[in-house]
């Protein structure tokens, strides 16, 4: 039978007043004590029976705490977590076995409450030392736990803050030599926490050099003086050197220093940064003080100087001390012309903008310098300037160099004259202004030869001397510029007339009539001048210069010390050149060009060896124009490439046709302009034409002048060798006109030599020198295995001389003039030509002319101009002529101009006979080439009654005087050779 629980009956008796008999007095006392203990204990108490039933509890107090009314131990399962309930049950059972147990329930959450409880289980035993039940004392530790949690949280935050700030806190009890430190203190010093830490533990890490002073400071703190010390330590774990600052406040007790409460801070990062900054600052100072530039800093705009580098001393020429003493001393040194501009920086800096300025100063050493200063403001958080920095550079040399460069940009360093760029600006400005001016293009002939022979020093001095001579002839309205090595440009703005310009050109050329002495050298030079006028010859700079250069080239062709006017209305020659140049490109499109052929004949048997292909231009106004008139123009306007290629294409096409027609092919000679020879792609083009027409290369012979080889030796030789490798024959034309004829034969082996036509024209029995030169040339060529061609053979005497000296081939009107392709094809079919015998001209027995013709005893000077062409009136300048004879019906004249017999072209002739001036209109009826480039013309007059009545008595009077062998006065006769006259 189960034994009853006496404790349960005892507590029940107290409640119900029902008496229960206890086994012993001892049990009664024990239970009585247990009841009293439960009722009067200050803490919450629950009395459990051994079976877990609650037999006593202050229900209201328990409810206030738990908001729950349990009646049995198992009821706690509802408010405890499973682990906590298991702990409670285990403690309950252990207590019933006689052992007191205490457990903590940290976070009991029930009905929105979070409690921290301490549960103490105490057994209630009977007299037999058996547990009848137990006490459960409940202590509410919620407030304490919250405070503890907050304290731990604060401690954690403090440690974290100390870690972040590299700070450690510590307390030192002076009397007991006891040191208490935060975690971060130990991390800073690098040793572990122990129970008996004293101050000596920390001191063992202090740097030996800092130990003594730090120990003295600490001893003073022991005496009551607050501690503040900086020292170095070697970290206990890493042994790194660290910088530490320690500070502590001393608290007193019983009038004695009792405790130090302080902190230590790891200053290592700061100290290293400070050291790096100091090193950097020192480096900057070193750099700043060794720069040529000056660097400075002020505390405000125009404020006190905070820093000035040593470079400023050299720039400003004053000691740095003056800059620190007087902030305005620098400003007072600024040149007055720049002071306002420099001081304008204050407005820019005030709004936070940088400023840069170039200005002059008068230094402390009385020098003028150019400075470049750059100023930069530093702004505070409010956007106000709190410091300004500046960089100053001495740019005096750069400014002077720039001035020199600017000078050299527009002026020639050698002569001091304006250069090409300056000239272009000048002419552009004059063209824009629209006022008339003259432009003279001056060239010192053969300057490059002299410069190469005597050296650049002589050449440079010559240019300076020539410039000085030019300057003596010019006034303030003149503008003289040096264009390049040997070319000068003279611009005349205000001139009286064009005749004034011509007179000036003659004075300029007269400088070269006498030798120029240059460093003991007597230099005989010549010059040429091309002249254009604005706006007649062009309204733009490039056109004026091109036209002036064209006039210069023409002047050079005329001989030494000549000038030529570009104006196409100045004379007939200029007008004709203008028209040909204008119409050339359209003529190619209109197929106005034709290829003529002049045969090359072997004089011994008369066999046709070949022919020279000569281009002719069928001009609608000027008739048949020879290449000598338009090829030089083509070289200037770059049409020469198109024309040369056209000639080659046509020549190859004719060779193919003649081959197809069954003719024996002959060598075709083609003159090649040096300009076309220098253009890339010539050899492939020629090869393509030969292949296209299926013509062997040896049927083509290209003729180049000796001057072409001499001027462009390296590049020309390369092209010529490629042509020879192709099989093309090469001929040297105008042989004997160069300066190194024999040298060209030595370095280059041509197939053929063409003797200069001027030599051929001089073949006469009374010209032994010319005859000897020709015979020697033929002999030399034979010795070298080179064929010789004599061009321009016109007379029977020339033919006999060349035949006797066994010249290989002859070319000239003695056999045939240049003829069209059809006529030459007939010659090919025949295969040979014979020269005519010497022709004797007989005067007709009966005069067939309507009017008597008077033959002047010598040529008479005159001039002519074209006044109408194709029913259009013209006003072209005068061209010189000479008059051979005259009648009322017309006259015979001679001129160097090759003009067409064109009835639509009307002329005006001017001449003086016996002090009377005549201006008579007329047209050409016939023409004949009398000598080389000298032509005779038969003129038919269109006389007015006035002119007829004026001319007839003059002719009669002159005839009478001539018949009486009396002198004819008042008439400009020419007694010199007309060829020499026209050259002048």
């Amino acid at each position: 039978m189960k034994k009853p629980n006496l404790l349960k009956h005892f507590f029940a008796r107290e409640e119900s007043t029902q008496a229960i008999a206890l086994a012993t007095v001892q049990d009664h006392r024990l239970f009585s004590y247990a009841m009293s203990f439960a009722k009067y204990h200050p803490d919450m108490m629950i009395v459990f029976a051994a079976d877990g039933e609650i037999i006593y509890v202050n229900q209201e107090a328990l409810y206030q705490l738990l908001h729950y009314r349990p009646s049995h131990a198992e009821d706690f399962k509802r408010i405890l977590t499973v682990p906590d309930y298991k702990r409670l049950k285990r403690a309950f059972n252990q207590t019933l076995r006689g052992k007191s147990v205490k457990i903590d329930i940290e976070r009991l959450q029930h009905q929105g409450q979070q409690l921290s409880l301490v549960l103490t289980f105490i057994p209630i035993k009977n007299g037999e030392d058996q547990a009848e039940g137990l006490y459960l004392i409940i202590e509410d530790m919620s407030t304490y736990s919250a405070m503890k949690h907050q304290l731990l949280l604060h401690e954690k935050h403090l440690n974290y803050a100390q870690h972040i700030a590299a700070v450690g806190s510590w307390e030192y009890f002076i009397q007991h030599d006891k040191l208490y430190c935060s975690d971060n203190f130990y991390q800073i010093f690098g040793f572990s926490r122990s129970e008996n830490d004293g101050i000596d533990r920390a001191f063992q890490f202090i740097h030996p050099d800092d130990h003594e002073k730090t120990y003295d400071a600490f001893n003073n703190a022991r005496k009551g003086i607050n501690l503040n010390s900086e020292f170095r330590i070697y970290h206990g774990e890493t042994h790194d050197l660290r910088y530490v600052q320690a500070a502590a406040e001393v608290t007193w007790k019983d009038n004695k220093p009792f405790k130090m409460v302080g902190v230590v801070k790891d200053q290592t990062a700061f100290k290293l940064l400070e050291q790096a900054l100091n090193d950097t600052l020192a480096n900057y100072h070193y750099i700043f003080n060794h720069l040529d530039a000056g660097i400075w800093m002020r505390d405000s705009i125009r404020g006190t100087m905070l820093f000035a580098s040593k470079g400023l001393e050299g720039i400003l020429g004053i000691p740095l001390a003056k800059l620190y003493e007087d902030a305005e001393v620098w400003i007072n040194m600024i040149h007055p012309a720049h002071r306002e501009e420099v001081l304008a920086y204050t407005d820019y800096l005030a709004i936070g903008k940088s400023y840069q300025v170039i200005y002059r100063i008068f230094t402390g050493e009385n020098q003028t310098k150019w400075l470049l200063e750059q100023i930069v403001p530093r702004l505070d958080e409010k956007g106000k300037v709190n410091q300004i920095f500046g960089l100053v550079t001495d740019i005096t040399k750069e400014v002077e160099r720039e001035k020199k460069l600017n000078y050299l940009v527009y002026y020639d360093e050698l002569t001091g004259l304006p250069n090409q760029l300056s000239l272009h600006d000048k002419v552009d400005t004059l063209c824009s202004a629209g006022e008339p001016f003259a432009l003279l293009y001056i060239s010192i002939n053969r300057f490059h030869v002299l410069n190469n022979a005597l050296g650049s020093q002589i050449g440079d001095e010559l240019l300076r001397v020539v410039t000085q001579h030019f300057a003596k002839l010019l006034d303030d309205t003149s503008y003289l510029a040096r264009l390049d090595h040997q070319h000068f440009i003279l611009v005349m703005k205000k001139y009286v007339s064009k005749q004034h310009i011509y007179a000036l050109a003659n004075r300029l050329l007269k400088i070269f009539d006498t030798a120029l002495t240059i460093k003991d050298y007597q230099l005989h030079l010549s010059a040429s001048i091309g002249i254009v006028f604005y706006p007649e010859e062009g309204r733009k700079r490039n056109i004026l210069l091109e036209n002036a250069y064209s006039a210069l080239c023409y002047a050079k062709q005329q001989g030494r010390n000549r000038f030529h006017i570009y104006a196409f209305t100045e004379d007939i020659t200029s007008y004709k050149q203008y028209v040909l140049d204008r119409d050339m490109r359209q003529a190619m499109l209109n197929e106005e060009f034709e290829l003529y052929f002049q045969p090359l004949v072997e004089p011994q048997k008369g066999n046709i060896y070949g022919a020279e292909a000569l281009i002719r231009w069928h001009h609608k106004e000027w008739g048949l124009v020879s290449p000598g008139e338009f090829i030089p123009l083509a070289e200037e306007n770059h049409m020469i490439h198109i024309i040369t290629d056209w000639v080659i294409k046509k020549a190859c096409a004719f060779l193919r046709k003649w081959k197809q027609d069954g003719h024996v092919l002959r060598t075709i000679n083609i003159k090649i302009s040096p300009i076309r020879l220098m253009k890339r792609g010539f050899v492939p083009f020629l090869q393509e034409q030969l292949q296209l027409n299926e013509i062997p290369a040896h049927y083509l012979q290209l003729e180049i002048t000796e001057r072409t080889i001499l001027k462009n030796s390296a590049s020309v030789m390369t092209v010529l060798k490629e042509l020879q490798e192709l099989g093309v024959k090469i001929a040297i034309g105008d042989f004997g006109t160069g300066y190194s004829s024999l040298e060209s034969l030595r370095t280059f082996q041509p197939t053929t030599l063409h003797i200069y036509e001027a030599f051929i024209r001089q073949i006469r029995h009374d010209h032994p020198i010319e005859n000897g030169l020709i015979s020697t040339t033929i002999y030399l060529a034979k010795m070298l295995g080179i064929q010789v061609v004599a061009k321009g053979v016109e007379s029977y005497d020339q033919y006999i001389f060349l035949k006797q000296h066994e010249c290989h081939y002859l070319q000239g009107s003695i056999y045939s003039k240049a003829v069209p392709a059809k006529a030459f094809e007939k010659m090919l079919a025949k295969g040979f030509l014979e020269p005519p015998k010497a022709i004797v001209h007989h005067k007709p027995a009966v005069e067939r002319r309507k009017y008597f013709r008077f033959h002047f005893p010598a040529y008479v000077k005159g001039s002519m101009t074209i006044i109408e062409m194709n029913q259009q009136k013209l006003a072209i300048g005068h061209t010189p002529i000479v008059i051979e004879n005259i009648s009322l019906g017309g006259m015979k004249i001679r001129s160097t101009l090759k003009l067409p017999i064109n009835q639509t072209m009307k002329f005006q002739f001017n001449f003086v006979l016996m002090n009377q001036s005549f201006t008579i209109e007329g047209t050409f009826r016939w023409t004949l080439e009398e000598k080389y480039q000298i032509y005779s013309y038969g003129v038919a007059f269109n006389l007015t009654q006035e002119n007829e009545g004026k001319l007839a008595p003059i002719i009669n009077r002159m005839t009478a005087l001539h018949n009486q062998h009396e002198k004819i006065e008042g008439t400009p006769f020419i007694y010199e050779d007309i060829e020499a006259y026209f050259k002048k």
Side-chain angles (χ1 to χ4, degrees):
M1 180 177 179
K2 187 177 179 181
K3 184 179 179 180
N5 189 297
L6 299 177
L7 183 60
K8 185 187 298 187
H9 288 291
F10 184 82
F11 274 89
R13 186 194 67 178
E14 284 295 311
E15 293 180 1
S16 62
T17 68
Q18 187 177 10
I20 298 176
L22 296 176
T24 63
V25 176
Q26 184 179 1
D27 289 336
H28 183 273
R29 289 179 178 175
L30 286 173
F31 294 152
S32 178
Y33 173 77
M35 182 179 290
S36 176
F37 182 74
K39 286 182 178 181
Y40 298 107
H41 196 281
D43 295 322
M44 169 64 62
M45 183 177 289
I46 301 175
V47 180
F48 288 93
D51 59 2
E53 182 183 354
I54 297 176
I55 55 177
Y56 176 79
V57 66
N58 187 336
Q59 290 290 346
E60 291 302 323
L62 183 61
Y63 183 78
Q64 289 294 327
L65 178 63
L66 302 179
H67 292 276
Y68 181 62
R69 299 181 188 275
S71 59
H72 196 276
E74 292 183 355
D75 293 341
F76 283 92
K77 185 187 298 185
R78 296 179 58 187
I79 62 174
L80 294 177
T81 62
V82 173
D84 285 344
Y85 177 74
K86 288 182 178 180
R87 290 172 59 216
L88 182 142
K89 188 174 182 181
R90 188 165 47 250
F92 189 93
N93 293 332
Q94 288 177 350
T95 304
L96 291 179
R97 288 195 291 269
K99 185 178 179 181
S100 296
V101 179
K102 180 182 287 190
I103 64 173
D104 297 328
I105 297 178
E106 292 292 333
R107 296 182 178 275
L108 173 62
Q109 293 188 0
H110 182 64
Q111 296 186 351
Q113 293 189 17
Q114 182 170 325
L115 302 176
S116 293
L117 306 177
V118 177
L119 305 181
T120 304
F121 295 84
I122 302 173
I124 302 175
K125 297 181 179 180
N126 56 22
E128 296 177 359
D129 199 28
Q130 293 180 346
E132 293 284 341
L134 58 87
Y135 298 108
L136 173 58
I137 302 172
I138 302 175
E139 296 180 79
D140 185 0
M141 302 299 290
S142 299
T143 303
Y144 172 77
S145 295
M147 291 176 63
K148 180 181 177 182
H149 175 74
Q150 196 67 30
L151 181 61
L152 291 174
L153 186 61
H154 286 170
E155 183 180 3
K156 182 177 180 181
H157 288 171
L158 178 61
N159 286 331
Y160 183 72
Q162 288 184 3
H163 177 73
I164 294 297
V167 173
S169 58
W170 55 278
E171 290 184 350
Y172 177 68
F173 291 89
I174 298 173
Q175 297 297 326
H176 303 286
D177 187 29
K178 191 67 175 176
L179 181 65
Y180 297 96
C181 308
S182 67
D183 293 343
N184 213 48
F185 182 96
Y186 292 106
Q187 291 180 8
I188 291 172
F189 276 82
F191 65 92
S192 302
R193 186 190 304 270
S194 65
E195 293 294 333
N196 299 314
D197 287 335
I199 197 62
D200 290 338
R201 181 99 185 271
F203 265 90
Q204 66 181 345
F205 299 104
I206 295 177
H207 193 285
D209 294 343
D210 298 340
H211 193 278
E212 184 177 352
K213 69 170 186 177
T214 307
Y215 198 80
D216 291 343
F218 194 80
N219 281 336
N220 289 333
R222 282 174 170 167
K223 298 175 183 178
I225 301 173
N226 290 341
L227 175 67
N228 192 347
S229 178
E230 291 186 1
F231 51 89
R232 292 166 294 171
I233 66 170
Y234 287 110
H235 192 268
E237 294 179 355
T238 64
H239 305 292
D240 294 337
L241 183 67
R242 294 195 177 186
Y243 295 83
V244 177
Q245 181 179 8
E249 184 177 349
V250 180
T251 59
W252 295 68
K253 185 176 181 180
D254 299 331
N255 296 323
K256 291 181 181 180
F258 172 67
K259 182 173 66 171
M260 298 181 201
V261 179
V263 293
V264 291
K265 180 173 177 58
D266 188 349
Q267 297 275 63
T268 303
F270 174 77
K271 285 292 184 180
L272 292 177
L273 177 61
E274 182 181 33
Q275 183 177 348
L277 290 174
N278 288 334
D279 291 343
T280 302
L281 186 60
N283 290 336
Y284 279 134
H285 277 229
Y286 180 83
I287 294 171
F288 293 163
N289 288 327
H290 288 80
L291 287 175
D292 292 333
I295 297 172
W296 56 266
M297 180 173 68
R298 294 178 185 264
D299 61 357
S300 62
I301 301 174
R302 298 187 68 171
T304 302
M305 188 71 71
L306 299 178
F307 172 76
S309 69
K310 289 184 179 180
L312 286 173
E313 278 188 339
I315 294 174
L316 302 178
I318 59 174
L320 292 181
K322 282 192 176 182
L323 290 174
Y324 290 109
E325 293 170 3
D326 182 4
E328 297 294 314
V329 65
W330 185 347
I331 295 174
N332 295 333
M333 297 168 69
I334 299 173
H335 193 289
H338 302 287
R339 190 166 296 167
E340 181 178 353
E341 181 185 6
V342 174
L343 294 181
Y345 78 86
T346 58
D347 297 331
Y348 283 84
L349 299 181
I351 58 176
K353 290 186 176 181
S354 301
Y355 193 71
Q356 178 173 301
V357 63
I358 296 176
Y359 59 93
R360 284 174 292 172
I361 63 167
F362 299 113
T363 70
E365 298 169 345
N366 295 322
Q367 294 179 336
T368 300
K369 291 185 177 180
W370 282 91
L371 304 185
L372 167 63
E373 185 168 17
Q374 298 166 284
I375 308 173
V376 180
R378 172 183 281 178
L379 307 179
D380 60 16
E381 296 176 352
K382 298 180 180 179
K384 293 184 179 180
V385 178
N386 59 5
Q387 285 179 338
I388 59 172
F389 302 87
L391 173 65
V392 183
T393 309
D394 182 356
I395 60 170
T396 305
K397 291 182 179 179
E398 285 75 8
V399 170
E400 293 174 352
R401 190 179 298 115
E402 183 180 6
K403 287 181 179 178
K404 184 176 181 181
L405 289 174
N406 287 335
Y407 175 82
L408 294 178
V409 168
Y410 290 98
Y411 291 90
D412 174 48
E413 186 175 16
L414 177 63
T415 62
L417 295 175
N419 61 12
Q420 184 178 10
L421 181 61
S422 179
L423 169 70
H424 289 177
D425 290 345
K426 180 71 174 180
V427 177
D428 286 341
T429 302
L430 291 176
C431 290
S432 299
E435 297 180 2
F437 63 89
L439 188 148
L440 288 74
Y441 204 125
I442 307 169
S443 174
I444 302 175
N445 298 327
R446 297 181 61 236
F447 171 79
H448 65 283
V449 176
L450 181 146
N451 197 59
N452 293 336
L454 301 181
S456 60
Q457 290 186 351
I458 300 298
D460 291 349
E461 184 61 26
L462 170 64
L463 291 174
R464 282 191 284 265
V465 170
V466 169
T467 300
Q468 293 169 5
H469 283 295
F470 285 167
K472 292 176 183 178
L473 300 177
L474 306 178
D475 55 26
D476 294 339
T477 63
S478 307
Y479 177 88
L480 181 64
R482 184 186 177 201
L483 189 61
D484 52 36
H485 299 291
Q486 65 198 60
H487 295 116
F488 297 82
I489 299 293
L490 175 60
V491 178
M492 300 293 295
K493 290 191 295 183
K494 298 179 180 179
Y495 56 90
V496 178
S497 66
K498 291 184 178 181
Q499 296 302 322
H500 173 75
I501 298 299
Y502 305 153
L504 174 60
N506 279 321
R507 290 197 299 274
L508 292 171
L509 293 173
K510 197 172 182 61
I511 294 172
F512 301 94
D513 285 348
T514 57
L516 298 175
T517 303
I518 308 294
K519 294 184 178 181
D520 298 330
Y521 287 96
Q522 294 290 321
L523 304 180
H524 296 271
L525 301 170
S526 67
S528 302
I529 302 176
I531 302 175
V532 294
F533 294 92
Y534 173 88
E536 294 94 321
E537 279 80 63
R539 293 182 175 273
K540 292 184 179 181
R541 179 245 304 163
N542 58 334
I543 295 177
L544 286 169
L545 289 176
E546 287 178 5
N547 292 343
Y549 182 74
S550 297
L552 172 67
C553 293
Y554 191 84
K556 287 186 176 183
Q557 294 173 9
Q558 303 308 305
R560 293 165 50 90
N561 286 349
R562 299 292 183 93
F563 72 84
H564 185 70
I565 308 141
Y566 180 80
F568 61 84
T569 59
E570 195 69 28
D571 55 36
I572 296 176
T573 301
S574 299
Y575 178 73
K576 185 177 182 180
Q577 286 182 326
Y578 162 74
V579 173
L580 295 179
D581 184 52
R582 179 195 65 189
D583 298 343
M584 193 177 300
R585 192 172 298 275
Q586 192 62 38
M588 182 61 71
L589 298 176
N590 294 342
E591 298 183 352
E592 296 177 11
F593 293 104
E594 183 181 359
L595 207 57
Y596 275 45
F597 296 90
Q598 188 173 29
L600 278 73
V601 182
E602 188 276 313
Q604 304 301 329
K605 296 181 179 181
N607 293 328
I608 296 176
Y609 165 74
E612 180 175 1
L614 297 168
I615 188 171
R616 293 292 188 266
W617 182 358
H618 295 280
H619 196 276
K620 59 184 178 182
E621 294 173 348
W622 297 95
L624 194 64
V625 183
S626 66
E629 295 182 89
F630 65 85
I631 289 299
L633 297 174
E635 290 178 340
E636 292 180 17
N637 63 22
H638 306 294
M639 279 287 292
I640 190 63
H641 305 297
I642 299 174
I643 291 175
T644 303
D645 292 354
W646 181 89
V647 171
I648 292 173
K649 288 180 180 179
K650 284 290 184 180
C652 291
F654 277 123
L655 284 170
R656 181 181 63 181
K657 179 180 182 302
W658 296 332
K659 180 181 177 181
Q660 291 172 348
D661 292 345
H663 294 294
V664 177
L665 294 185
R666 308 293 183 181
T667 299
I668 300 299
N669 185 82
I670 302 173
K671 276 189 177 180
I672 300 295
S673 169
I675 297 176
R676 180 61 185 98
L677 200 62
M678 299 301 295
K679 187 177 181 182
R680 289 183 178 179
F682 177 71
V683 175
F685 164 76
L686 187 64
Q687 187 176 12
E688 178 187 0
Q689 292 303 313
L690 292 171
Q691 293 174 350
L692 183 65
N693 292 281
E694 298 178 347
I695 301 299
H698 64 270
Y699 285 112
L700 273 189
Q701 179 170 273
L702 302 184
E703 178 184 344
I704 60 173
T705 63
E706 186 178 14
R707 281 185 288 263
T708 302
I709 300 176
L710 296 176
K711 289 181 180 178
N712 310 283
S713 57
S715 55
V716 168
M717 286 299 179
T718 301
V719 177
L720 294 180
K721 287 179 180 178
E722 291 179 7
L723 291 171
Q724 286 182 322
E725 291 173 359
L726 193 63
V728 175
K729 299 175 182 177
I730 303 296
I732 294 181
D734 297 343
F735 183 77
T737 59
Y739 299 102
S740 303
S741 300
L742 297 180
E743 176 66 16
S744 63
L745 294 181
R746 186 185 70 83
T747 57
F748 172 66
Q749 296 179 351
T751 306
T752 310
L753 294 183
H754 289 189
I755 300 176
Y756 187 36
E757 290 183 43
F759 292 164
I760 303 300
R761 290 196 300 271
Q762 296 300 321
I763 294 177
R764 283 163 44 181
H765 69 278
D766 57 346
H767 286 181
I769 295 178
E770 286 80 358
N771 296 347
L773 288 174
I774 294 173
S775 61
T776 302
T777 300
I778 295 173
Y779 176 77
L780 176 64
K782 287 182 177 180
M783 294 295 293
L784 297 175
I786 300 174
Q787 296 177 337
V788 180
V789 174
K791 283 190 173 184
V793 182
E794 299 175 349
S795 70
Y796 194 77
D797 291 340
Q798 294 169 356
Y799 161 73
I800 292 298
F801 176 87
L802 294 168
K803 181 178 180 181
Q804 289 174 346
H805 286 84
E806 297 182 345
C807 182
H808 294 96
Y809 307 108
L810 306 185
Q811 176 187 344
S813 59
I814 188 70
Y815 285 109
S816 171
K817 293 184 178 182
V819 296
K822 287 185 178 180
F824 179 68
E825 190 173 348
K826 293 178 180 179
M827 295 180 186
L828 283 178
K830 184 177 180 182
F832 67 93
L833 292 173
E834 292 182 0
K837 301 294 182 180
I839 301 174
V840 179
H841 296 281
H842 298 282
K843 185 175 180 180
V846 180
E847 177 63 56
R848 296 190 296 270
R849 294 189 180 95
K850 181 178 180 181
Y851 299 102
F852 168 75
R853 185 171 296 267
F854 174 68
H855 291 266
F856 293 110
Y859 292 110
V860 176
K861 292 181 183 179
S863 66
M864 68 176 176
T865 183
I866 301 175
I867 59 173
E868 185 178 321
M869 182 179 288
N870 295 330
Q871 299 181 348
Q872 291 185 357
K873 300 295 182 182
L874 299 175
I876 299 175
H878 297 280
T879 297
I881 60 172
V882 295
I883 306 172
E884 185 175 342
N885 58 50
I886 191 168
S887 71
L888 292 179
M891 62 183 178
K892 180 181 178 181
I893 67 170
R894 294 195 182 193
S895 171
T896 57
L897 293 181
K898 189 176 187 307
L899 298 170
I901 306 303
N902 185 347
Q903 297 301 314
T904 66
M905 188 179 293
K906 295 182 180 181
F907 296 86
Q908 184 183 81
F909 301 93
N910 296 278
F911 51 89
V912 176
L913 300 176
M914 298 190 70
N915 293 322
Q916 289 199 38
S917 298
F918 291 89
T919 300
I920 300 175
E921 296 181 4
T923 56
F924 289 161
R925 294 296 186 184
W926 56 266
T927 182
L928 178 67
E929 187 175 4
E930 299 282 354
K931 290 186 176 182
Y932 178 69
Q933 293 185 346
I934 294 181
Y935 304 90
S936 294
Y937 294 95
V939 178
F941 284 156
N942 182 18
L943 285 178
T944 63
Q945 289 184 354
E946 179 183 356
N947 281 332
E948 184 176 354
K950 185 178 174 183
L951 180 60
I954 292 293
I955 293 175
N956 292 333
R957 194 181 313 165
M958 294 177 72
T959 303
L961 290 172
H962 181 66
N963 291 337
Q964 297 172 10
H965 303 288
E966 294 184 16
K967 186 177 181 180
I968 301 174
E969 301 288 348
T971 303
F973 289 111
I974 300 171
Y975 295 103
E976 62 181 312
D977 182 75
I978 62 170
E979 195 170 349
Y981 168 74
F982 280 125
K983 283 185 178 179
K984 289 196 300 183

